[in-house]
Coordinates of all heavy atoms in Angstrom, one line a residue:
I4 N 2.8 9.9 9.8 CA 4.1 9.5 10.3 C 5.1 9.6 9.1 O 6.3 9.9 9.3 CB 4.0 8.1 10.8 CG1 3.2 8.1 12.1 CG2 5.4 7.4 10.9 CD1 3.0 6.7 12.7
S5 N 4.6 9.2 7.9 CA 5.5 9.3 6.7 C 6.0 10.8 6.6 O 7.2 11.0 6.2 CB 4.8 8.8 5.5 OG 4.5 7.5 5.6
A6 N 5.0 11.7 6.7 CA 5.4 13.1 6.6 C 6.3 13.5 7.7 O 7.3 14.3 7.4 CB 4.1 13.9 6.7
I7 N 6.2 13.0 8.9 CA 7.1 13.4 10.0 C 8.5 12.8 9.6 O 9.5 13.6 9.8 CB 6.6 12.7 11.3 CG1 5.4 13.4 11.8 CG2 7.7 12.8 12.4 CD1 4.8 12.8 13.0
L8 N 8.6 11.6 9.2 CA 9.9 11.1 8.8 C 10.6 11.9 7.7 O 11.8 12.2 7.7 CB 9.8 9.6 8.4 CG 9.3 8.7 9.4 CD1 9.0 7.2 8.9 CD2 10.3 8.5 10.6
G9 N 9.7 12.3 6.7 CA 10.3 13.1 5.7 C 10.8 14.5 6.1 O 11.9 14.9 5.7
E10 N 10.2 15.1 7.1 CA 10.6 16.3 7.7 C 11.9 16.2 8.4 O 12.7 17.1 8.6 CB 9.5 16.9 8.6 CG 8.2 17.4 7.8 CD 7.2 17.8 8.7 OE1 7.4 17.7 10.0 OE2 6.1 18.3 8.3
L11 N 12.1 14.9 8.9 CA 13.4 14.6 9.7 C 14.5 14.3 8.7 O 15.6 13.9 9.2 CB 13.1 13.5 10.7 CG 12.2 13.9 11.9 CD1 11.9 12.7 12.7 CD2 12.8 15.1 12.7
G12 N 14.2 14.3 7.4 CA 15.2 14.1 6.4 C 15.4 12.6 6.1 O 16.4 12.2 5.4
I13 N 14.4 11.8 6.5 CA 14.5 10.3 6.2 C 13.8 10.1 4.9 O 12.6 10.4 4.7 CB 13.8 9.5 7.3 CG1 14.6 9.7 8.6 CG2 13.7 8.0 7.0 CD1 13.9 9.1 9.8
E14 N 14.4 9.4 4.0 CA 13.9 9.1 2.7 C 13.7 7.6 2.5 O 14.2 6.8 3.4 CB 14.8 9.6 1.5 CG 15.0 11.1 1.6 CD 15.9 11.6 0.5 OE1 16.6 10.8 -0.1 OE2 16.0 12.9 0.4
G15 N 13.1 7.1 1.4 CA 13.0 5.7 1.2 C 12.0 5.1 2.2 O 12.3 4.0 2.8
I16 N 10.8 5.7 2.4 CA 9.8 5.1 3.4 C 9.0 4.0 2.7 O 8.5 4.2 1.6 CB 9.0 6.3 3.9 CG1 9.8 7.3 4.6 CG2 7.8 5.8 4.8 CD1 9.2 8.6 4.8
E17 N 8.7 3.0 3.5 CA 7.9 1.9 2.9 C 6.7 1.7 3.9 O 6.8 1.7 5.1 CB 8.8 0.6 2.9 CG 8.1 -0.6 2.5 CD 9.0 -1.8 2.6 OE1 9.8 -2.1 1.7 OE2 9.1 -2.5 3.7
I18 N 5.5 1.5 3.3 CA 4.2 1.4 4.1 C 3.7 -0.1 3.7 O 3.6 -0.4 2.5 CB 3.3 2.4 3.7 CG1 3.8 3.8 4.2 CG2 1.9 2.2 4.4 CD1 2.9 5.0 3.8
E19 N 3.3 -0.8 4.7 CA 2.7 -2.1 4.5 C 1.3 -2.1 5.4 O 1.3 -1.8 6.6 CB 3.5 -3.2 5.1 CG 4.8 -3.4 4.4 CD 5.8 -4.4 5.1 OE1 5.5 -5.6 4.9 OE2 6.6 -4.0 5.8
N20 N 0.2 -2.3 4.7 CA -1.1 -2.4 5.4 C -2.0 -3.5 4.6 O -1.5 -4.0 3.6 CB -1.7 -1.0 5.5 CG -2.0 -0.4 4.1 OD1 -2.3 -1.1 3.2 ND2 -1.8 0.9 4.1
H21 N -3.2 -3.6 5.1 CA -4.1 -4.5 4.5 C -5.3 -3.8 3.8 O -6.3 -4.5 3.6 CB -4.6 -5.5 5.5 CG -3.6 -6.3 6.2 ND1 -3.7 -6.8 7.5 CD2 -2.3 -6.7 5.7 CE1 -2.6 -7.5 7.8 NE2 -1.7 -7.4 6.7
V22 N -5.1 -2.6 3.5 CA -6.2 -1.8 2.8 C -6.4 -2.4 1.4 O -5.4 -2.5 0.6 CB -5.8 -0.3 2.8 CG1 -7.0 0.5 2.0 CG2 -5.7 0.2 4.2
P23 N -7.6 -2.7 1.0 CA -7.9 -3.3 -0.3 C -7.5 -2.3 -1.4 O -7.6 -1.0 -1.2 CB -9.4 -3.5 -0.3 CG -9.7 -3.7 1.1 CD -8.8 -2.8 1.8
L24 N -6.9 -2.7 -2.6 CA -6.6 -1.9 -3.6 C -7.8 -1.4 -4.3 O -8.8 -2.1 -4.5 CB -5.7 -2.6 -4.6 CG -4.4 -3.2 -4.1 CD1 -3.7 -4.0 -5.2 CD2 -3.4 -2.1 -3.7
T25 N -7.7 -0.1 -4.8 CA -8.8 0.4 -5.6 C -8.7 -0.1 -7.0 O -7.7 -0.7 -7.4 CB -8.7 2.0 -5.7 OG1 -7.5 2.4 -6.3 CG2 -8.7 2.6 -4.3
E26 N -9.7 0.1 -7.8 CA -9.7 -0.3 -9.2 C -8.6 0.3 -10.0 O -7.9 -0.2 -10.8 CB -11.0 -0.1 -9.9 CG -12.2 -1.0 -9.4 CD -13.5 -0.8 -10.2 OE1 -13.4 -0.1 -11.2 OE2 -14.5 -1.3 -9.8
Q27 N -8.4 1.6 -9.7 CA -7.3 2.4 -10.3 C -5.9 1.8 -10.0 O -5.1 1.7 -10.9 CB -7.4 3.9 -9.9 CG -6.4 4.7 -10.7 CD -6.5 6.2 -10.3 OE1 -7.4 6.6 -9.5 NE2 -5.7 7.0 -10.9
E28 N -5.8 1.5 -8.8 CA -4.5 1.0 -8.3 C -4.2 -0.4 -8.9 O -3.1 -0.7 -9.4 CB -4.4 0.9 -6.8 CG -4.3 2.3 -6.1 CD -4.5 2.1 -4.6 OE1 -5.2 1.2 -4.1 OE2 -4.1 3.0 -3.9
T29 N -5.3 -1.2 -9.0 CA -5.1 -2.5 -9.5 C -4.8 -2.4 -11.0 O -4.0 -3.2 -11.6 CB -6.3 -3.4 -9.3 OG1 -6.6 -3.5 -7.9 CG2 -6.2 -4.8 -9.9
G30 N -5.5 -1.5 -11.7 CA -5.3 -1.3 -13.2 C -4.0 -0.8 -13.5 O -3.5 -1.0 -14.7
S31 N -3.2 -0.1 -12.6 CA -1.9 0.3 -13.0 C -0.8 -0.7 -12.7 O 0.4 -0.5 -12.9 CB -1.6 1.6 -12.1 OG -1.5 1.3 -10.7
M32 N -1.2 -1.8 -12.2 CA -0.3 -2.9 -11.8 C -0.2 -3.9 -13.0 O -1.1 -4.1 -13.7 CB -0.6 -3.6 -10.5 CG -0.6 -2.7 -9.3 SD -1.3 -3.6 -7.9 CE 0.1 -4.7 -7.6
F33 N 0.9 -4.7 -13.0 CA 1.1 -5.6 -14.1 C 0.5 -6.9 -13.7 O 1.2 -8.0 -13.6 CB 2.6 -5.8 -14.5 CG 3.1 -4.5 -15.0 CD1 4.1 -3.8 -14.4 CD2 2.7 -4.0 -16.2 CE1 4.6 -2.6 -14.9 CE2 3.2 -2.8 -16.8 CZ 4.2 -2.2 -16.1
I34 N -0.7 -7.0 -13.3 CA -1.4 -8.2 -12.9 C -2.8 -8.2 -13.6 O -3.3 -7.1 -13.9 CB -1.5 -8.4 -11.4 CG1 -2.2 -7.2 -10.8 CG2 -0.2 -8.6 -10.8 CD1 -2.6 -7.3 -9.3
D35 N -3.4 -9.3 -13.6 CA -4.8 -9.3 -14.2 C -5.8 -9.9 -13.2 O -6.8 -10.3 -13.6 CB -4.8 -10.1 -15.5 CG -6.0 -9.7 -16.4 OD1 -6.6 -8.6 -16.1 OD2 -6.3 -10.3 -17.3
F36 N -5.4 -10.0 -11.9 CA -6.3 -10.4 -10.9 C -5.9 -9.7 -9.6 O -4.7 -9.5 -9.4 CB -6.3 -12.0 -10.8 CG -4.8 -12.5 -10.9 CD1 -4.1 -12.5 -9.7 CD2 -4.3 -12.9 -12.0 CE1 -2.7 -13.1 -9.8 CE2 -3.0 -13.4 -12.1 CZ -2.2 -13.4 -11.0
P37 N -6.8 -9.5 -8.8 CA -6.5 -8.8 -7.5 C -5.7 -9.6 -6.5 O -5.7 -10.8 -6.5 CB -8.0 -8.5 -6.9 CG -8.8 -9.6 -7.5 CD -8.3 -9.9 -8.8
L38 N -4.8 -8.8 -5.8 CA -4.0 -9.5 -4.8 C -4.9 -9.9 -3.7 O -5.9 -9.3 -3.3 CB -3.0 -8.5 -4.3 CG -1.9 -8.0 -5.3 CD1 -1.0 -7.0 -4.6 CD2 -1.1 -9.2 -5.9
E39 N -4.6 -11.1 -3.1 CA -5.3 -11.6 -1.9 C -4.7 -11.1 -0.7 O -3.5 -11.4 -0.3 CB -5.3 -13.1 -1.9 CG -6.1 -13.8 -3.0 CD -7.5 -13.6 -2.9 OE1 -8.0 -13.4 -1.8 OE2 -8.2 -13.6 -4.0
L40 N -5.4 -10.2 0.0 CA -4.8 -9.6 1.3 C -5.6 -10.0 2.5 O -6.8 -10.4 2.4 CB -4.9 -8.0 1.2 CG -4.1 -7.4 0.1 CD1 -4.4 -5.9 0.1 CD2 -2.6 -7.6 0.3
P41 N -5.0 -10.1 3.6 CA -5.8 -10.4 4.8 C -6.8 -9.3 5.1 O -6.7 -8.2 4.5 CB -4.6 -10.4 5.9 CG -3.4 -10.6 5.2 CD -3.6 -9.9 3.9
P42 N -7.7 -9.6 6.0 CA -8.7 -8.6 6.3 C -8.0 -7.3 6.8 O -7.1 -7.4 7.6 CB -9.7 -9.2 7.3 CG -9.5 -10.7 7.1 CD -8.1 -10.8 6.6
D43 N -8.6 -6.1 6.4 CA -8.1 -4.9 6.9 C -8.4 -4.7 8.3 O -9.6 -4.5 8.7 CB -8.6 -3.8 6.1 CG -8.1 -2.4 6.5 OD1 -7.1 -2.3 7.2 OD2 -8.7 -1.4 6.1
D44 N -7.4 -4.7 9.2 CA -7.7 -4.6 10.7 C -7.2 -3.2 11.2 O -7.2 -3.0 12.4 CB -6.9 -5.6 11.4 CG -5.3 -5.6 11.1 OD1 -4.9 -4.8 10.4 OD2 -4.6 -6.5 11.7
G45 N -6.9 -2.3 10.2 CA -6.6 -0.9 10.7 C -5.2 -0.7 11.0 O -4.7 0.4 11.4
T46 N -4.3 -1.8 11.0 CA -2.9 -1.7 11.4 C -2.1 -1.4 10.2 O -2.4 -1.7 9.0 CB -2.4 -3.0 12.1 OG1 -2.4 -4.1 11.2 CG2 -3.3 -3.3 13.3

């Protein structure tokens, strides 16, 4: 869907989900503890 929006000329796309962060993603953030997210329900 993000790609479709990009093809339509829409920029500034924001994605929100409950997928747990990887170690690499957590390591690149300015935090020292993982974010508490709701269970990943696929939405």
Side-chain angles (χ1 to χ4, degrees):
I4 290 177
S5 298
I7 289 172
L8 295 175
E10 290 175 359
L11 292 174
I13 296 173
E14 300 177 348
I16 299 165
E17 176 184 276
I18 297 176
E19 300 172 74
N20 59 37
H21 300 154
V22 177
L24 298 174
T25 65
E26 289 186 10
Q27 182 178 2
E28 289 168 336
T29 303
S31 68
M32 299 174 69
F33 296 114
I34 57 173
D35 205 10
F36 42 86
L38 297 177
E39 293 292 334
L40 295 174
D43 180 15
D44 58 2
T46 64

